[in-house]
Amino acid sequence: MLQGGSWFFSMAILIIPTCLANDLWQCICDGPGCTQDTCRGRKCFVTIENADGFTKQTKGCFSEHLMEQCKSTVQGTATTKCCDADMCNGNLTIHQAEPDPPAKKQLQLILIPLLVILLLLLLVTVYFCRARWHHRKRLLTRLHELGDTDMLKASIVGDSTLGDLLDDYCTTGSGSGLPFLVQRTVARQITLVECVGFIASDMTSRNSSTQLWLITHYHESGSLYEYLQRTTVDPEGCLWLALSIICGLVHLHVEIFGTQGKPAIAHRDLKSRNILVKKNKQCCIADLGLAVMHSQTSDYLDIGNNPRVGTKRYMAPEVLDETIRTDSFESYKQTDVWAFGLVLWEIARRTVINGMVEEYKPPFFDVVPSDPSFEDMKKVVCTDQQRPRIPNNWHSDTIVSALAKIMKECWYQSPSARLTALRIKKTLHKLNSPVNNFKEEC
């Protein structure tokens, strides 16, 4: 019995240490604290650390007191993974996401707010476009519902229908761009108050629309704008056209006293479309719809509510940036001189010099769109202070070279520095040319 009991006791002693030893695993160890190739611990681990663009792998074992580090999570730049088996960290792998490079992170920080801003702008644009579309739809519906009598009543009591339509649809000011419906609407709201010139007027109906007619002298060459597109001139013909225009402008600008007199007039919309070419190739100024009058006796000046009127392409700098002296009649005469310089440039461009001539182009054709906005013209004329280009070959002809000098003196940024219409007329008369016989008719 004693021997049997001793055998049992000795077996128990051998078994217990073996079980305690199995709680510690033998692991591969290659870290800084390793003294041998292996170590024993409660857990085997593998750690991957990213630092300064390099990846470092460490293997070892954890004791009981370091068990909280044995997690398959990212802590800063290190990732740790553990296992329970002898030498299990030899083949243990960690799938770690590549960290974003600094440049990529910076790009993300820039792009995300930018995309949010673009999205907001898109939403705002869509909102305003829909609002504008609904506004126009309401206006058109209202026009269809109103009859002739109602429309006339609306204009009498000051309804804003006409003004709204013109604000929505007007472009260059020539009237040619208005939709057919709007032209009908305008005609229905016009009443002839007083005949101030021309030959006659009439009202007719065509295709269910009302048309108001103004009958004037017929000039078969049409406007100067149309004439220059199909016709070239020689230097003498260029001077003839220029002199006839400036004579008309002087006549407008000067007040004539007496029973057959007239007040001084500033045109405010001088351009090649508003100048007619007669059969004898003289020009006459037309379309005084935006003109203002001034008399020294009454010193009265009526310009309406908006001083920034006319055709944007021909507007002077002080009109575009709204620095014009609205209480001074001289200011409006100076804007006419600016526009005359541009018309003179249009004529000179179609003048044959040494067998060379350029195709017709409107002023500033190379720097603004075909229908420029106020901001387009303001940037070119006021901010950049650009002017139409003067070709070098213009200086090879005495007449055209003199006209180029006049143009530049019409385009001074300061209105007071520009030539007067009367000074331009006198300068053109002094040119040594057969056209000088025209002065008796001017």
Side-chain angles (χ1 to χ4, degrees), residues 198-200 214-223 226-227 230 275-284 286:
F198 305 112
I199 296 174
L214 288 177
I215 296 90
T216 67
H217 288 285
Y218 172 67
H219 299 296
E220 61 185 23
S221 296
S223 70
E226 298 164 331
Y227 179 79
R230 63 175 182 268
I275 298 172
L276 303 178
V277 181
K278 298 181 180 181
K279 190 173 184 179
N280 63 356
K281 307 311 176 188
Q282 288 184 3
C283 291
C284 59

Side-chain angles (χ1 to χ4, degrees), residues 10-296:
S10 115
M11 288 297 293
I13 291 175
L14 291 174
I15 292 173
I16 290 174
T18 303
C19 293
L20 290 174
N22 287 340
D23 286 339
L24 297 177
W25 306 106
Q26 188 173 8
C27 311
I28 295 176
C29 186
D30 59 5
C34 295
T35 59
Q36 298 181 9
D37 293 338
T38 60
C39 63
R40 282 190 172 273
R42 299 293 300 274
K43 295 283 185 179
C44 297
F45 74 86
V46 174
T47 296
I48 294 180
E49 183 177 4
N50 292 307
D52 299 327
F54 297 96
T55 301
K56 179 181 179 182
Q57 179 175 276
T58 302
K59 298 182 179 180
C61 52
F62 284 143
S63 65
E64 184 176 359
H65 302 291
L66 299 176
M67 290 298 292
E68 66 274 6
Q69 298 184 24
C70 193
K71 300 176 181 178
S72 296
T73 58
V74 176
Q75 299 176 354
T77 59
T79 304
T80 301
K81 191 171 184 181
C82 299
C83 60
D84 297 311
D86 284 333
M87 310 298 282
C88 64
N89 61 346
N91 298 320
L92 190 63
T93 58
I94 298 178
H95 299 288
Q96 185 184 36
E98 288 290 332
D100 291 334
K104 185 177 180 181
K105 291 184 177 179
Q106 292 177 0
L107 186 61
Q108 290 176 345
L109 292 175
I110 295 173
L111 286 179
I112 292 175
L114 184 60
L115 289 174
V116 173
I117 292 174
L118 289 176
L119 180 60
L120 290 176
L121 288 176
L122 179 62
L123 292 175
V124 171
T125 302
V126 171
Y127 171 79
F128 279 107
C129 288
R130 286 181 59 85
R132 186 175 179 83
W133 181 80
H134 284 297
H135 174 67
R136 290 188 177 186
K137 185 177 180 181
R138 287 195 300 269
L139 287 176
L140 294 175
T141 303
R142 187 177 180 185
L143 289 175
H144 284 299
E145 293 175 351
L146 292 174
D148 290 353
T149 304
D150 291 330
M151 188 63 72
L152 289 174
K153 288 181 180 179
S155 65
I156 293 173
V157 299
D159 190 89
S160 62
T161 301
L162 178 59
D164 290 339
L165 283 169
L166 294 181
D167 287 341
D168 278 342
Y169 291 108
C170 277
T171 54
T172 61
S174 64
S176 60
L178 292 176
F180 180 71
L181 178 62
V182 178
Q183 293 184 15
R184 289 181 56 186
T185 307
V186 172
R188 289 175 178 175
Q189 298 188 66
I190 293 177
T191 301
L192 183 61
V193 176
E194 179 183 359
C195 185
V196 295
F198 305 112
I199 296 174
S201 63
D202 199 0
M203 180 173 66
T204 185
S205 177
R206 178 179 296 178
N207 297 328
S208 301
S209 67
T210 301
Q211 295 182 350
L212 298 181
W213 287 19
L214 288 177
I215 296 90
T216 67
H217 288 285
Y218 172 67
H219 299 296
E220 61 185 23
S221 296
S223 70
L224 180 63
Y225 170 80
E226 298 164 331
Y227 179 79
L228 293 176
Q229 292 192 69
R230 63 175 182 268
T231 309
T232 60
V233 296
D234 56 20
E236 288 74 21
C238 176
L239 181 57
W240 181 275
L241 294 172
L243 193 52
S244 63
I245 297 170
I246 201 61
C247 283
L249 194 58
V250 168
H251 180 73
L252 287 177
H253 285 185
V254 173
E255 182 177 358
I256 301 176
F257 300 93
T259 55
Q260 298 297 320
K262 73 167 190 64
I265 299 172
H267 192 282
R268 293 210 300 165
D269 194 21
L270 189 66
K271 58 182 177 181
S272 56
R273 290 179 182 269
N274 288 342
I275 298 172
L276 303 178
V277 181
K278 298 181 180 181
K279 190 173 184 179
N280 63 356
K281 307 311 176 188
Q282 288 184 3
C283 291
C284 59
I285 299 174
D287 195 351
L288 301 177
L290 297 177
V292 293
M293 296 185 295
H294 179 261
S295 174
Q296 295 182 21

Side-chain angles (χ1 to χ4, degrees), residues 333-393:
K333 290 165 61 177
Q334 290 158 353
T335 64
D336 283 350
V337 170
W338 168 278
F340 172 77
L342 297 177
V343 172
L344 197 55
W345 179 87
E346 292 178 78
I347 301 172
R349 186 178 170 87
R350 296 292 286 157
T351 302
V352 180
I353 304 173
N354 297 328
M356 299 175 59
V357 67
E358 297 179 284
E359 64 175 336
Y360 173 82
K361 291 291 183 181
F364 302 107
F365 73 96
D366 52 344
V367 290
V368 297
S370 58
D371 188 20
S373 65
F374 285 112
E375 292 305 317
D376 291 332
M377 294 306 305
K378 183 178 178 180
K379 181 182 183 302
V380 169
V381 174
C382 302
T383 305
D384 300 339
Q385 297 191 12
Q386 295 189 53
R387 301 294 184 265
R389 184 180 64 86
I390 305 295
N392 291 330
N393 70 315

